[in-house]
Amino acid sequence: MSTQPNLYDLSPDALTRLLADWGEPAYRAKQIYRHLYVHLTSDPADMTDLSKALRERLAKETTIGNLQQIKLLTGDDGMTRKVLWNLPDGSPLETVLMIYPDRATVCVSSQSGCPMQCVFCATGKLGFLHDCTPGEIIEQVIWAERELQAFFSSLNRRSKIENRKLSNIVFMGMGEPFNNYDNWWTSVERLHDPNGYNMGARNFTVSTVGLVPGILRLAEEELPINLAISLHAADDDLRSDMMPVNRRYPIADLVEATRTYTEKTRRRVSFEYVLLKEKNDFPEQALRLAQLLRSEGKPPLLCHVNLIPWNPVPGAPLNRSDRKRVLNFQAVLKEHGVPCTVRVERGVDIAAACGQLAGR
Ligand code: SAH
């Protein structure tokens, strides 16, 4: 295991201090920071505005990233790319890049494995292995940005695709971001930094299993990023069956925290709802969900429902809802005034879709 500092783990201040220890002026730190986050330089040798001695010292005493790429899989005609990494301790991590005609999204992992144990998700089957450091989260995004640029340069110039930068970063890969809040949030702030990678706050989306303290904490943050909440059931018995976290934070508490969040931030949240055939996809359950989100006597929750037909996970005794049941479920929600869409699927052929990330 490397004991050299990973440059992606260093804040601008920490980078300045490291360089000061080496007897280098502060503007050197600024140059390096720009290399990391603007030019996406992966090798100190390419930082040609630095002295040769400094480049060599960086190469010897630091690393730019610490993820080891094990495998790269492509699906959807090259428009979906999943990379499997090993962390320095050998635990697996996955990142998925999804390219669309008008945008590109990277789905990032915040932990290796996951402690939350939702029954329908492949990642939980690994158990919890590792909290990603800020740098390990950032490196996944930088990889995606480089991968995207390589993709565009391989296309002919007449491609209709205009946008050549990542447009969205979603924390929906392995792990529970709010279970690794500090490291995760540091990565968001770093990637947002206008002097560096400069990703707009509204282009980040975090998805949580429903950890109430994390939702309340996010409501207090200044950066207005988007929040998605994995709901998946509108009654406690069923939700506790599917998601053990519901015993700690039952639906009423979750909805109350969501209300606090929307009132404080004025931002619409999305509720994710994985559809499992004959488990949580009956019309009566859609009705119950609508009632939950449109509770009488209170203003409707500022929200949107994202329906996700379940992606198969080996060994899980569950079934995917067929198209007809999905559309029926959606129709009931719409009838009751709940805005609702069905998630477009990506990466099913390479086990890169929602809930299929298990380091294989
Ligand atoms: N821990 C976070 C983020 C990771 S999962 C969370 O729970 O929200 C991202 C989304 O994929 C969540 O809504 C999750 O419930 C959903 N998901 C998990 N397994 C799935 C599967 N097999 N098929 C479809 N969606 C799944």
Side-chain angles (χ1 to χ4, degrees), residues 76 106 112 137-138 144 154 187 203 218 245 354:
D76 304 312
V106 62
S112 171
I137 298 173
I138 290 165
S154 74
S187 76
N203 303 96
L218 186 64
V245 69
C354 303

Side-chain angles (χ1 to χ4, degrees), residues 6-19:
N6 174 1
L7 293 183
Y8 293 133
D9 272 324
L10 303 186
S11 65
D13 282 351
L15 187 60
T16 308
R17 282 197 302 274
L18 176 77
L19 272 288

Side-chain angles (χ1 to χ4, degrees), residues 79 97-107 144-145 148 151-152 161 163-169 199 203 346:
M79 304 291 269
L97 169 64
M98 291 159 281
I99 305 171
Y100 301 89
D102 57 341
R103 68 200 155 91
T105 298
V106 62
C107 178
E145 189 68 61
L148 186 66
F151 172 79
F152 284 125
I161 303 176
N163 191 346
R164 290 172 178 247
K165 261 199 83 124
L166 272 180
S167 29
N168 297 289
I169 299 173
M199 178 60 90
N203 303 96
R346 273 301 180 92

